[in-house]
Amino acid sequence: MKLEARHLAFAYRQRLVLDGISLSLKPGQVVSLLGSNGAGKSTLLRLLLGLLQPARGELLLDGKPLEQWPRRQLARQLAYVPQIHSTPFPYTVTEVVLLGRLPAGSLFRSPSREDREIAATALEQVGIPHLAERPYTEISGGERQLALIARALAQGARLLIMDEPATGLDYGHQLRLLERLGQLAAAGYGVLMSTHHPEHALLASTRVLLLENGRIRAAGPPEQVLNPANLQALYDIPPGLLQRAMSCWQPAGPSSLSPPTKESFHVPEPHPRLPA
Amino acid sequence: MSRRLSLLPLLLLTLLGTMLASLSLGRYPLPPGEVLDFLLHQLGLGELEAQRQALLHNLIVDIRLPRVLTAVLVGAALSISGAAYQAVFRNPLVSPGLLGVLPGAAAGAALGLVFSDSWWIMQVAAFATGFLAVAIGVGIAGLFGGSLVMLVLGGIISGALFTALLSLVKYVADPYNQLPAIVYWLMGSLATADLPDLARVAIPMGLGILLLASLGRALDALSMGDDEAATLGLPIRSVRYGVIALATLISALTVSLAGVIGWVGLLVPHIARLITGPGNRLLLPASALLGAIFLLLADGLARNLAETEIPIGIVTELLGIPAFLLVLHRARKGWV
């Protein structure tokens, strides 16, 4: 199972917002997508999910063009984890996760005992089985994000597309979420996430894509791609400012905090290199 | 979970009990036992005196049964379409009238009353214009991209158009005969339908209600947002417009059966949500059953409260306001 984009382009009202995008996502990988606001990250995610049609280029899942996949079958391979949201109605966490079983059968079907077991397992996988009967609207943002990930797992999909999964979470929840993504990758899931935090990409991903004005500026292993020159250009940061932001993490003494290291996360090593 | 699933049979029993009570209450109250005896006799069980049988037949089958069945159908249809609309539009404050079906059907019915004496033509006119109003609303939304907000605005525009047309029809109507008929009819009445009328609309209405009731999970998914629903494998356009079409069909039929009965479609889904929780798989059938019970109770009040009958639309609105305040009080934490 592999999702592959080749030279994708997308235009919105005659304006080219994405051009020449090539990337791939396989189980075991965590791919981070970085870019300034308006660089086209969300558009790219929607293209990859088949929610938009590319103007040019190819999008293949398992070698077959994405638009030839029936929606229900696609949902069993490729899942979308949206940004943390609330629902207008206070569904229980289990009800939200059970929606992931919708593509498994007929539209008119009630969830079966098997569906309920799968939903319960998914909640255990993300570590929130105790929230099963709580209203989705009353749990915290981090817990909601985990519930949405559980729904994606309940779909049975091996490839997960996540839209800024860490946004709106406190620091501790951000780190725990990133660790969870590493665990998922180790368990054979492929994750592609957009993020605003280079350090998240550095911590949790096997590969990084930098998106600048609808084009890929750089792609590769995080240590290689996330260098000061790229970040400075990507976010248009004055040179001194980036220096100061990065140096505030340098250990100032033996007792001070040091940034979490890569070794504290379950990221599969070594990074699988992809053909460019 | 099993406690929740046993709710539906419980509601069904309550509905049957309420129907029995409605059949026995009225200007000539009957003991419920006698109504049961009569029903058993109709099924070929038990003995009944011939004269008594004729009287009961007249009272129960000719007078009360059409009314009770109308109340059940109309209450169930309005409530389930209200619940379905709330899920489709992701907004708990939406009622089946949102896309203009009620003003549309009202204008058509008024037109039918002015230009024809036939109740049947009025029914058809009400149904057709109700559907037309929604089609115009959806069409306007389609011109501007078809988003949810555009659908709501399209419905408002179409509703305003048909409200204006209704005023126009009222203005040109004969003020001595036709105008009062229009005004009374707009207040809603469960008394006009007879059994053949009911038989005509019961099948499409019943089918519409059953189909909507089976789409609960799809509506749950749709209420999460279009992108999510699509990535869950849902054919979002078919589900959205299919549900709108079904809800429009059955609401337009309620107007042609019983005039404009307000509040039920907004209020009953909220009461049902207090009982079942927000999951549409249970909420939709529970709304239908509760809506039928609610309208039977309202009709009981309408018939028995005063010497002369009060129009049902007025009763539902008066009854609806305190009930809705109660729901709001319970639901302050969220749309439980």
Side-chain angles (χ1 to χ4, degrees), chain A residues 127-166:
Chain A
I128 51 167
H130 55 289
L131 299 177
E133 294 306 315
R134 291 276 301 281
Y136 178 79
T137 45
E138 287 175 19
I139 60 178
S140 76
E143 290 164 344
R144 269 185 246 164
Q145 189 69 68
L146 292 174
L148 292 174
I149 294 175
R151 186 182 70 190
L153 300 184
Q155 279 175 244
R158 298 312 271 182
L159 300 179
L160 315 179
I161 308 276
M162 304 193 180
D163 192 1
E164 297 180 18

Side-chain angles (χ1 to χ4, degrees), chain B residues 172-235:
Chain B
V172 300
D174 159 23
Y176 296 103
N177 297 314
Q178 292 171 341
L179 189 57
I182 293 174
V183 169
Y184 278 123
W185 186 82
L186 285 177
M187 290 176 187
S189 170
L190 298 172
T192 32
D194 57 19
L195 284 178
D197 275 327
L198 269 172
R200 248 199 316 269
V201 298
I203 292 169
M205 259 172 131
L207 277 179
I209 291 172
L210 283 179
L211 260 174
L212 277 182
S214 67
L215 278 168
R217 281 225 306 162
L219 281 172
D220 282 350
L222 200 61
S223 74
M224 307 292 286
D226 283 6
D227 281 358
E228 282 180 69
T231 57
L232 289 168
L234 200 73

Side-chain angles (χ1 to χ4, degrees), chain B residues 72-89:
Chain B
V72 168
L73 270 179
V74 169
L78 284 174
S79 306
I80 200 170
S81 34
Y85 262 44
Q86 290 172 6
V88 165
F89 290 97

